[in-house]
Amino acid sequence: KVTDQDVTAYYDAHKKDFAIPPKVDVAYVSVTPGGLVKPESISEADARKWYEANKSRFEEPAQVRAAHILVPLAENAPADAEKKAREEVAKIQTELKGGKDFAAVADAHNGPNAAGPGGELGWITRGKTVKPFEDAAFALKAGQVSEPVRSPFGLHIIKVEDKKPGGLKTFKDAAQEVRQAMAQEQGADKLHDVLDSLIEDNILGKPLAESAARFGLKAEQSGLLSQSELEQKLGVTPAGASALIATAAGAPVDTALEAGDKYLVARIIKAEPASTQPLDAVKNAIVAKLTAEKALKAAMESAAARRKELKDGPLPQPLKASLDIKTGPAMDRGGNLADFNPDAALAEAVFTAKPGTWLPVAYAVDGKSEGPGALLCRVDAVLPPDPQEWNTVRDLMANGVARERVDGLYQIFIQNLASKAKVEVLNTEIVDRVNL
């Protein structure tokens, strides 16, 4: 049971948890370069002239939409591993030649990170993949399937589903893109003048809605928001949100606030200072919390007493039935017991215990179906890893570890060099000094 004294003591000790942050209601005008000039207002003649002057922006590279089936094989794999991989590829080719759907075969053979569903890789351009894969993919016609292609990742069977030849996009196809680019450029040229005008009107106390309408914009109102809510909903920086919170009701902010790709010209309509929720408003929540804490403490004490009665070794059936012991499915290292939320300490203890033994202590857990409680856990068995699963990723893992070692040695070398050498930076903007 929870007494009124318990509730009052908890409330007094945790008042910060019931704090209501200061809030402001903001009237604002959002300004972006693209919003100052409408693309449809740009004439076709002007758009054509701009297109002719910027044709290089509309050169499209050749593309292929490809899918693949990958049999992993390290670049320096021994002969027996390569033989095994090629035998696997031959089986896959037999399935495809027998009429099986490429996507279904890909899903059956690809590892978890080899490709998307059906082996899909999407549209690719030259220079985006390794050269052997790229050369083979661009040599195929739409609908064709390749012979096995060797790359640093292994053996690929590639299917090209569609192709785009590339080349210069015509003005007709590019017209909308041209107008949007021109609107963005012209809007950027007008941006500072518009912001200066809006800020001046705001400082003079003119209605924001009228000022915004002169530029085809509109004023909006946020409603009462805290600093974190201002950052989230208006997109302003922490410094900008802090400036809004610090501004008095009825006062303008005398500068434009950055908010992602836009700027805000703002005025505070209403401000509420920080406060604390009264005890009556949070009493029920406190009672529920303290009740749960006391109940869990009682459950842990009961489980600790029960643990002393349990013996390691084979589990007698009568004891199993009397305790209503449940056996969960196998769990992976670093995973969690089925039906329980993740618990790193419990997961670690499970994997350090011997089969047939109870964990030495009870654990406070949160069951997805039964809620919080105290858990006594016994390890029935430790299952060996699946060798087939390891063989699938062994070479990729070995390559990854080798790359990490090379990177680590390189970083040590650079740090050594930096500590012993005199380094004079002439242009800090183009020098990456991370870890130096």
Side-chain angles (χ1 to χ4, degrees):
K1 291 185 178 180
V2 177
T3 66
D4 287 343
Q5 290 81 0
D6 292 335
V7 174
T8 301
Y10 183 91
Y11 178 78
D12 290 339
H14 297 83
K15 279 192 174 180
K16 65 179 185 301
D17 296 338
F18 308 112
I20 300 174
K23 296 183 178 184
V24 290
D25 186 2
V26 185
Y28 63 94
V29 180
S30 175
V31 185
T32 61
L36 297 176
V37 178
K38 304 297 182 186
E40 57 271 20
S41 69
I42 296 171
S43 69
E44 182 173 336
D46 288 342
R48 282 188 178 277
K49 183 178 178 181
W50 192 93
Y51 168 80
E52 291 296 331
N54 294 274
K55 274 188 175 180
S56 61
R57 294 177 58 164
F58 303 100
E59 289 283 354
E60 294 187 326
Q63 299 180 70
V64 295
R65 185 161 65 88
H68 80 149
I69 302 169
L70 172 64
V71 176
L73 181 65
E75 283 187 283
N76 57 350
D80 59 336
E82 181 160 352
K83 180 183 177 183
K84 186 176 179 181
R86 291 195 178 278
E87 289 172 352
E88 178 68 16
V89 168
K91 292 178 184 177
I92 294 170
Q93 287 183 295
T94 300
E95 291 183 42
L96 294 172
K97 290 174 181 176
K100 284 191 176 181
D101 178 62
F102 187 94
V105 176
D107 286 337
H109 291 277
N110 275 339
N113 298 313
E120 286 287 341
L121 296 171
W123 288 99
I124 60 176
T125 58
R126 289 191 179 276
K128 298 297 184 183
T129 63
V130 290
K131 197 169 189 310
F133 187 99
E134 172 187 295
D135 290 344
F138 278 90
L140 294 172
K141 296 179 180 178
Q144 281 188 323
V145 177
S146 74
E147 291 298 314
V149 176
R150 185 75 161 91
S151 85
F153 301 104
L155 296 168
H156 308 259
I157 298 176
I158 306 167
K159 180 180 180 182
V160 168
E161 298 174 329
D162 200 358
K163 301 186 79 169
K164 293 179 182 178
L168 179 65
K169 190 185 288 189
T170 65
F171 173 76
K172 181 180 178 181
D173 292 335
Q176 185 59 30
E177 189 178 344
V178 168
R179 286 189 168 94
Q180 287 175 344
M182 292 180 69
Q184 191 74 19
E185 286 185 3
Q186 293 176 16
D189 291 339
K190 296 176 63 175
L191 180 65
H192 291 295
D193 290 340
V194 171
L195 288 174
D196 287 345
S197 180
L198 288 172
I199 291 169
E200 183 180 351
D201 285 356
N202 196 27
I203 292 171
L204 294 174
K206 296 181 179 179
L208 277 179
E210 293 180 11
S211 301
R214 289 195 290 118
F215 302 103
L217 304 172
K218 65 177 183 177
E220 300 177 74
Q221 196 164 331
S222 68
L224 284 168
L225 299 175
S226 65
Q227 178 164 337
S228 61
E229 290 170 335
L230 289 167
E231 294 175 32
Q232 181 181 2
K233 295 186 178 181
L234 299 188
V236 293
T237 64
S242 180
L244 290 170
I245 291 291
T247 303
V253 178
D254 61 2
T255 186
L257 302 175
E258 292 185 19
D261 61 350
K262 58 183 180 290
Y263 294 88
L264 303 184
V265 176
R267 179 183 301 162
I268 303 304
I269 303 301
K270 182 180 179 183
E272 287 188 355
S275 60
T276 302
Q277 297 180 69
L279 176 58
D280 288 346
V282 296
K283 182 177 180 179
N284 290 341
I286 294 175
V287 169
K289 179 178 177 60
L290 293 179
T291 300
E293 287 178 356
K294 289 191 174 188
L296 181 57
K297 181 180 178 183
M300 289 293 288
E301 290 170 351
S302 176
R306 177 58 60 90
R307 172 64 186 90
K308 294 177 181 178
E309 303 170 7
L310 300 174
K311 307 296 182 183
D312 293 335
L315 192 64
Q317 186 59 37
L319 177 63
K320 185 174 182 178
S322 69
L323 293 178
D324 190 26
I325 290 177
K326 299 175 182 178
T327 302
M331 62 179 282
D332 294 331
R333 184 182 294 276
N336 57 284
L337 290 174
D339 195 46
F340 294 98
N341 290 323
D343 184 320
L346 174 58
E348 181 65 23
V350 166
F351 270 86
T352 54
K354 294 180 179 179
T357 62
W358 291 88
L359 300 189
V361 297
Y363 284 83
V365 295
D366 190 4
K368 296 175 184 175
S369 58
E370 297 183 71
L375 180 76
L376 293 171
C377 184
R378 176 182 185 275
V379 176
D380 273 346
V382 176
L383 307 180
D386 180 356
Q388 182 59 40
E389 184 178 347
W390 169 243
N391 288 336
T392 301
V393 299
R394 179 182 57 193
D395 292 338
L396 293 176
M397 293 287 286
N399 286 340
V401 171
R403 284 196 300 272
E404 286 182 7
R405 288 181 177 177
V406 170
D407 290 344
L409 287 171
Y410 173 73
Q411 292 297 334
I412 292 171
F413 169 74
I414 291 295
Q415 289 169 15
N416 250 348
L417 189 64
S419 67
K420 296 175 181 178
K422 177 183 177 182
V423 179
E424 184 178 1
V425 179
L426 300 179
N427 188 340
T428 57
E429 293 183 358
I430 62 171
V431 177
D432 178 11
R433 303 189 68 198
V434 175
N435 294 328
L436 292 188

